[in-house]
Every structure is written in structure tokens, then in C-alpha cells.
Amino acid sequence: MDPLTLFALANGAVNAVKAGCKLYKDIKGAAGEVKEVLKDLDDQFKKLHPPEKPATPEQRKQFNEEKQRVIELNKSDPGDVYDQIGAHLSVYYENMAKCIAIFEEEERRSQEVYTGDDSIGKRALQRVLMKKKLEQMGIELRELMVYQSPPELGALYTDVSEMMKKIGEEQTIAIHKKMKQDRIDAIKRKKRIDKLWIEAAWGIAMVILCA
């Protein structure tokens, strides 16, 4: 469980939620009134480009692409996007909970002797920065889904948040247990390897003495 990998997964999920919210709003905006939206686009285009100031081929191309986008949006099912947003939101909370659990476990072990390449201070700073970024992601999601999106997305955010909070607490306990067991297993492996080296050294020594 590498915190950097978990952080990247959480960040990717946040970006997917943001894109999903935008798509959901676009679909809702085009649903049931595509004719009015297309007419409004036509009117705006004519105002910007009267006969005496015709549009360039590139401008007309962009205009037609936007009209086609609106038509395609009208065919889309907002329910599918809604489900995808919920799934990505769950991924964010799941990986955030795992990251924080690992940070907490590392803080508990801060008194132990550390022999890695990075300094203890650098590792602590990385934990603080990543935790702050994860929390900021959560704030941005709440702002987007509760205050800048249709009400049903705000309700989805609340439901998923409450559900994942409980799951996150359970995951934290499980991760702490696993990391503790991993340390115990690592110590046992080291002792076994040290014992094998000692036995090998004695064996080599005996061969040399008997030669």
C-alpha cells in the first residue's frame, strides 16, 4: 500500500467526479428542450456573424460541433452519469481513508529507529502535505456537488460520504492490523535470513578448517 499510489488514485477519482458533474449538468440542461437550445445557439451565431461579417470556416466548424454536442447530450441518460459519479466518489473516499490510515500508523511508529533513504523530517512533511491535499480535494468536491450542481448530486454526495465514513473507519482498523502484522513478518524473515547466513558462515569455516 504505497501512499503515493493511493493519492494518485484519489486524485484521479476527484477529476472524474468533476468531469461527471459537468457532463451531468450539461445533459440536464439539454434534456427535453434541445430544440430551444439549438434555436438559441442559432440566434447567437447569427448575431455574432451577420451577413456583412460572415463566419470563418473554422468558426462555422466549431458552431456545428457545438450543435452536434447538444444533440448527443440530449440522447444521453443522466442516470448512467449519476451512477458513475457515485462510483468515482467512493473510490476517492476509499483511497483517502487508506492514505490517512497509513499516515496515522507511520506517526505511531515515529519513535522507532528508521533506516530508509529519506529523513524522518522529509517523510513527516510528505505526510502533512498529502493529507492537506486530500482534505482540500474533499472540500472542492463538497462545494461542487452540494452548491454548484443539481440537488440530486448534493444528496448523492451526502449519502456516499456517510456510507464511506463508516467503511473508512473499518478499513483503518484493518490497515493498522495488517501493517502491524507486516512488521512482525518482516522481523521474522530477517531473523531467518540472519540465521541462514550464520549457519552458512560456520559451514564455510568448518570446510576451511578441515581442508
Side-chain angles (χ1 to χ4, degrees):
M1 292 181 291
D2 174 23
L4 289 175
T5 300
L6 295 172
F7 179 84
L9 291 172
N11 189 51
V14 169
N15 291 332
V17 170
K18 290 179 178 179
C21 288
K22 182 181 184 304
L23 179 58
Y24 186 86
K25 287 190 286 186
D26 288 345
I27 293 173
K28 294 285 286 186
E33 51 186 46
V34 65
K35 290 182 179 179
E36 289 82 356
V37 174
L38 292 175
K39 182 179 182 302
D40 184 57
L41 286 174
D42 282 328
D43 292 341
Q44 291 182 40
F45 190 77
K46 289 175 182 177
K47 287 180 181 178
L48 290 171
H49 304 288
E52 64 273 14
K53 189 182 177 182
T56 65
E58 180 61 26
Q59 289 171 331
R60 186 164 294 279
K61 178 176 177 290
Q62 292 177 359
F63 169 67
N64 289 329
E65 288 176 350
E66 178 62 16
K67 288 180 68 174
Q68 188 59 39
R69 188 183 76 88
V70 171
I71 293 171
E72 293 301 320
L73 284 175
N74 192 59
K75 298 176 184 178
S76 303
D77 182 0
D80 292 339
V81 181
Y82 181 92
D83 293 341
Q84 292 172 12
I85 292 172
H88 290 308
L89 196 59
S90 297
V91 170
Y92 159 73
Y93 276 110
E94 180 181 357
N95 287 288
M96 181 185 73
K98 289 179 180 178
C99 270
I100 292 177
I102 292 173
F103 297 158
E104 290 176 348
E105 185 64 21
E106 288 194 353
E107 287 171 3
R108 287 193 183 93
R109 295 167 53 195
S110 62
Q111 300 301 317
E112 297 178 9
V113 176
Y114 172 65
T115 58
D117 296 330
D118 294 334
S119 68
I120 294 177
K122 182 178 179 181
R123 280 156 46 93
L125 179 60
Q126 287 176 336
R127 289 199 301 268
V128 170
L129 292 177
M130 289 178 67
K131 189 174 181 180
K132 289 291 184 183
K133 288 179 181 178
L134 286 167
E135 291 171 350
Q136 184 59 37
M137 288 180 197
I139 293 172
E140 290 176 2
L141 282 181
R142 183 172 183 273
E143 180 71 21
L144 173 64
M145 296 187 68
V146 175
Y147 299 110
Q148 301 176 17
S149 300
E152 56 268 30
L153 290 189
L156 174 65
Y157 172 86
T158 300
D159 291 343
V160 173
S161 298
E162 292 177 354
M163 176 187 70
M164 294 307 296
K165 181 180 180 181
K166 184 176 186 302
I167 293 176
E169 292 172 351
E170 295 169 351
Q171 281 287 301
T172 296
I173 295 172
I175 288 171
H176 286 167
K177 288 182 178 178
K178 185 179 186 306
M179 291 182 73
K180 182 178 181 180
Q181 187 60 48
D182 287 347
R183 291 200 305 276
I184 293 172
D185 292 343
I187 292 171
K188 289 181 178 178
R189 282 195 300 271
K190 186 178 184 304
K191 287 182 178 179
R192 285 198 299 269
I193 292 172
D194 290 346
K195 182 180 179 183
L196 288 173
W197 274 110
I198 292 172
E199 291 175 351
W202 273 108
I204 293 170
M206 292 299 295
V207 169
I208 294 173
L209 290 173
C210 295

